[in-house]
């Protein structure tokens, strides 16, 4: 059984930076793609960025050029470096991972709040 634990959220001013981390704990699994989504009240959860086990990345248009996703496979950890943050980036950020044990499941973290003040 795997568990995802996030850290790094907080309050930052417009134009500031934050780095989110998400680590998969447990044993006996293989991690495929990992990613970050975000959600604001009343709206659907949306993809922010995704990275495969081989390092290929995908970004939402709204964060291209400002956010960078990376991973450390040895640590089962995915990162999201967020630069030039804007008030519209304010949301709860969730990491997720496609994890193989006996079968493939998608796991989600508990979410971390990111608030960008204007």
């Amino acid at each position: 059984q795997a568990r995802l634990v996030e850290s790094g959220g907080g309050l930052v001013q417009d134009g500031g930076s934050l780095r989110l981390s998400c680590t998969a704990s447990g044993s006996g699994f293989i991690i495929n793609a990992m990613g970050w989504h975000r959600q604001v009240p009343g709206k659907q959860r949306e993809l922010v960025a995704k990275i495969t086990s081989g390092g290929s990345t995908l970004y939402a248009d709204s964060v291209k050029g400002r956010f960078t996703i990376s991973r450390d496979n040895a640590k089962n950890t995915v990162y999201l470096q967020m630069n030039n943050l804007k008030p519209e980036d304010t949301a709860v950020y969730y990491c997720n991972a496609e994890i193989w044990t006996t079968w493939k499941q998608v796991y989600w973290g508990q979410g971390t709040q990111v608030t960008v003040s204007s």
Side-chain angles (χ1 to χ4, degrees), residues 22-84:
C22 173
T23 298
S25 62
S27 62
F29 55 77
I30 297 172
I31 302 175
N32 191 10
M34 303 183 82
W36 291 93
H37 289 65
R38 65 188 181 188
Q39 189 170 23
V40 297
K43 292 190 176 181
Q44 284 191 325
R45 192 173 295 186
E46 63 173 5
L47 174 69
V48 175
K50 180 178 180 179
I51 184 167
T52 69
S53 56
S56 297
T57 58
L58 175 71
Y59 294 94
D61 288 342
S62 59
V63 307
K64 283 180 182 176
R66 301 188 297 122
F67 291 11
T68 302
I69 190 170
S70 61
R71 65 191 284 173
D72 184 332
N73 290 331
K75 295 181 179 180
N76 291 335
T77 299
V78 62
Y79 305 96
L80 186 67
Q81 177 66 44
M82 304 184 292
N83 297 327
N84 191 21

Side-chain angles (χ1 to χ4, degrees), residues 13 15 57 72 98 114-115:
Q13 289 189 331
T57 58
D72 184 332
E98 296 173 359
V114 171
T115 302

